[in-house]
Amino acid sequence: GKVLYEMGEYDTAIFYLRCLLDKLPSDSDDCARCYYVLGNIQKKRDCLAESLDWHFKSLAMRKKKTWAGLELAESYRCIGDVY
């Protein structure tokens, strides 16, 4: 999904990220990464409310991890960018 996002293939990236989310356990670290990329995609598409929703989901998951310092900073930065 991230590669497709970087290529500008937003709809295809969303499709694959959602497929992956359907297959992952809800507490998987990969879910937080998917939410993060989905938030970035929605920001690029100027869907700012949706972007914030995804970024806040990612942030909530990352806050549960003790090792996620850099990822937390990344989430807060993206939320700030949307605002």
Side-chain angles (χ1 to χ4, degrees):
K2 185 177 179 191
V3 172
L4 291 165
Y5 158 69
E6 290 173 354
M7 292 172 51
E9 298 290 331
Y10 302 137
D11 292 332
T12 308
I14 290 170
F15 173 80
Y16 283 107
L17 289 166
R18 287 183 183 258
C19 287
L20 182 58
L21 284 169
D22 288 340
K23 294 177 183 188
L24 289 171
S26 61
D27 62 345
S28 169
D29 294 338
D30 290 326
C31 285
R33 289 183 194 100
C34 288
Y35 295 152
Y36 174 80
V37 175
L38 285 165
N40 288 340
I41 291 170
Q42 295 303 349
K43 182 178 179 279
K44 286 279 191 183
R45 296 171 76 181
D46 284 329
C47 300
L48 302 182
E50 287 181 55
S51 175
L52 285 174
D53 288 343
W54 289 119
H55 281 302
F56 279 119
K57 277 186 170 186
S58 176
L59 178 62
M61 290 190 77
R62 288 175 169 181
K63 280 183 174 181
K64 295 177 186 175
K65 307 294 180 191
T66 57
W67 50 262
L70 184 58
E71 290 180 348
L72 281 173
E74 200 172 63
S75 286
Y76 281 118
R77 181 191 58 80
C78 286
I79 289 168
D81 284 350
V82 173
Y83 278 114

